[in-house]
Amino acid sequence: MTTARLVMTVAMLAVVVGCSSGDPSRGGAAVSCAAVVTFENRDYLPTQDEGFAVGERLGTARIPECDDTPNDPDVAIPEGTTNAYLVEGRDPAEAIAVGDSPVSARLVEIR
């Protein structure tokens, strides 16, 4: 699986989880691990913000393995990596961009 496809899968799952998260004791889903990206020991989640400028490459971000639906092995996400980029005007401790290239990078923020 390419990094771009993995990042898109994570992003799509984040949207699905965002729409279905809630209190599991009341019939809602638990918070998902599917959208998490880790860089320099910090966890980031996707954001809807489209107005950002990608800066220099910072290094490699890790997409942890995620199986938050143990009864459905077909939706487990294997561990992967992707590029981490500076977001101009933002501290990397609060936000980075991730993707195969600066053009395809998506904004993620500290959770």
Side-chain angles (χ1 to χ4, degrees), residues 6-18 32-38 43-50 52 63 90 94-98 105-111:
L6 188 58
V7 169
M8 288 305 295
T9 300
V10 169
M12 293 297 288
L13 285 171
V15 171
V16 170
V17 169
S32 175
C33 61
V36 176
V37 177
T38 302
D43 292 336
Y44 298 83
L45 291 171
T47 180
Q48 298 297 324
D49 188 356
E50 297 293 329
F52 64 97
I63 302 166
R90 302 283 301 267
E94 66 180 46
I96 59 173
V98 294
R106 296 194 39 94
L107 182 66
V108 291
E109 294 182 332
I110 199 79
R111 67 172 173 162

Side-chain angles (χ1 to χ4, degrees), residues 37-85:
V37 177
T38 302
F39 180 69
E40 293 186 343
N41 297 317
R42 292 184 294 266
D43 292 336
Y44 298 83
L45 291 171
T47 180
Q48 298 297 324
D49 188 356
E50 297 293 329
F52 64 97
V54 177
E56 68 185 42
R57 184 177 182 276
L58 298 171
T60 302
R62 186 174 71 83
I63 302 166
E65 178 180 6
C66 178
D67 184 10
D68 57 1
T69 55
N71 295 330
D72 191 354
D74 293 334
V75 296
I77 297 173
E79 183 172 342
T81 60
T82 189
N83 293 318
Y85 299 95

